[in-house]
Amino acid sequence: MISLEIHRHFPLKKMNTFGIAAIAEELVVVRTAAALHGITQLNRPQIQVLGGGSNILLTGDLPGLTIKNEIGGIEIFLENEHDVLVKVGGGVVWHDLVLWAVEQGLGGIENLSLIPGTVGAAPIQNIGAYGVELKDVFHSLDAYDLLTGESLHFDNSHCKFGYRDSIFKQELKGRLCIVDVYFKLQKNPTLNTSYGDIQRTLQEMGVKSPTIRDVSKAVIQIRQSKLPDPALIGNAGSFFKNPAIEVADFQRFSEKFPEAPHYPQPDGRVKIPAGWLIEQAGWKGERFGDAGCHARQALVLVNYGEAKGEEILALAKKIQASVQDKFGIALTPEVNVW
């Protein structure tokens, strides 16, 4: 059996972007797939996997064994005239992958620049931004079943990708450690610059014929202007999903709130920005002790210093109840509550 260094009573404050002070009963850092086989043989009653800690809210200490996924590596696995299949370790920092792809001239993930977290966590959440979702470039992944000790392979169709959702967040929640992810990237990229502020930002940058590097820089600039840096103030980015409602419900909603921004969806529903709903309900900039709603982006809940996870969660529930009462719309957390 591979020798594993197990850390007991390990502090997690620096391992989650909310900066919540919590303790892992046991923690082991995994850098190879082989090490996972050794973990199964430990026979711990509870095991959870921690990536970059960027999309979780810790509401207490973590019992059992916590795996810190640091499996690395970026390599071209297969390629043809038009596309490249890239194999990436689950512990690779997501933005490091984006920068690598941009440097190689490979398109497809430049709109996902500066999203915090690791590659292994990206399929769980089906991360997305500025008109692109992970499922658009995802080919497949290799995972290790912590319950059975089996090595598993999932292609795109098996993952049940949805809006910030997947099979790994539902039926298989907490059961797998994602070892490697395979992405299909373009040698001759088709740029997606129509969403949000990308086109305007490129114009401000003086760019007339953008490259993937230009799009990446524009997205980084937009994100830095809108979202607080977790290194300066604890947060996990957008706390809630943007709700999509049925057309009949939207018609009733728009009669009362004709000024509300809205975006028709391919499935016939209409998406309403959660940040707008929260701001209109009066929560933007509100602070309760060290838990608060960010002053510039109402969709982001923040830890101003020593907030407990339970306090952030209590604020989230108050916001949900308030939005439901004012608009009749339910907000669903995007962040995983542990």
Side-chain angles (χ1 to χ4, degrees):
M1 188 171 99
I2 292 176
S3 177
L4 298 171
E5 183 180 1
I6 298 176
H7 306 274
R8 290 178 171 78
H9 307 295
F10 194 90
L12 297 173
K13 187 177 178 69
K14 293 183 178 180
M15 286 192 170
N16 69 100
T17 59
F18 253 121
I20 301 296
I23 301 293
E25 183 179 353
E26 293 183 320
L27 182 135
V28 61
V29 176
V30 168
R31 296 186 175 90
T32 66
L36 291 167
H37 296 281
I39 286 175
T40 304
Q41 295 174 40
L42 292 174
N43 199 29
R44 293 296 191 267
Q46 180 171 334
I47 303 177
Q48 51 268 330
V49 180
L50 184 63
S54 61
N55 199 51
I56 61 170
L57 174 63
L58 299 175
T59 57
D61 294 338
L62 296 183
L65 181 65
T66 300
I67 297 172
K68 181 69 169 69
N69 186 351
E70 292 189 3
I71 298 172
I74 303 175
E75 62 175 291
I76 293 176
F77 189 72
L78 289 172
E79 63 179 305
N80 59 33
E81 185 180 351
H82 305 289
D83 304 307
V84 170
L85 193 63
V86 180
K87 177 183 178 182
V88 190
V92 171
V93 173
W94 173 262
H95 188 57
D96 287 349
L97 169 63
V98 176
L99 295 178
W100 177 89
V102 168
E103 199 62 36
Q104 301 294 318
L106 299 173
I109 56 175
E110 57 277 359
N111 291 50
L112 306 180
S113 295
L114 210 63
I115 293 180
T118 56
V119 167
I124 298 173
Q125 188 72 3
N126 185 24
I127 60 172
Y130 301 104
V132 175
E133 288 187 316
L134 177 117
K135 67 178 179 62
D136 301 329
V137 294
F138 176 89
H139 178 272
S140 58
L141 64 79
D142 297 321
Y144 184 80
D145 191 325
L146 298 167
L147 188 62
T148 66
E150 293 180 280
S151 294
L152 304 173
H153 185 76
F154 295 81
D155 64 22
N156 198 311
S157 63
H158 292 142
C159 295
K160 298 184 181 179
F161 287 126
Y163 172 49
R164 304 300 173 268
D165 201 12
S166 70
I167 192 173
F168 313 111
K169 206 172 178 180
Q170 300 298 332
E171 301 101 297
L172 296 177
K173 183 177 181 179
R175 182 167 164 173
L176 305 177
C177 181
I178 294 177
V179 177
D180 293 302
V181 185
Y182 300 81
F183 299 95
K184 188 177 181 180
L185 303 181
Q186 306 164 1
K187 288 185 175 180
N188 301 296
T190 300
L191 301 184
N192 185 339
T193 61
S194 61
Y195 194 93
D197 297 329
I198 294 181
Q199 197 68 254
R200 179 182 60 79
T201 303
L202 287 170
Q203 290 173 355
E204 291 173 354
M205 292 165 57
V207 176
K208 295 181 179 179
S209 301
T211 63
I212 57 172
R213 188 183 300 275
D214 295 322
V215 173
S216 177
K217 287 181 178 179
V219 169
I220 290 171
Q221 185 172 313
I222 295 166
R223 290 184 68 89
Q224 288 178 333
S225 69
K226 289 186 174 182
L227 299 172
D229 184 347
L232 302 177
I233 181 170
N235 74 91
S238 301
F239 196 92
F240 299 101
K241 298 178 183 181
N242 291 314
I245 60 178
E246 300 297 334
V247 172
D249 294 326
F250 173 72
Q251 289 173 343
R252 288 189 291 269
F253 168 83
S254 62
E255 288 175 3
K256 291 184 178 180
F257 308 99
E259 74 282 10
H262 56 279
Y263 306 95
Q265 300 300 293
D267 63 3
R269 296 185 298 168
V270 182
K271 184 178 289 186
I272 313 294
W276 184 88
L277 295 170
I278 295 167
E279 183 172 349
Q280 296 303 307
W283 291 98
K284 188 176 182 180
E286 290 297 304
R287 177 172 176 171
F288 306 87
D290 276 351
C293 186
H294 196 255
R296 283 190 294 138
Q297 175 50 271
L299 193 52
V300 178
L301 303 189
V302 296
N303 174 11
Y304 285 103
E306 299 300 327
K308 296 179 180 179
E310 299 98 317
E311 294 173 318
I312 301 286
L313 183 59
L315 173 58
K317 289 181 176 179
K318 288 179 181 177
I319 291 173
Q320 285 175 298
S322 174
V323 168
Q324 179 73 55
D325 183 62
K326 183 176 178 66
F327 299 106
I329 294 177
L331 293 181
T332 303
E334 182 175 319
V335 170
N336 297 291
V337 179
W338 286 20

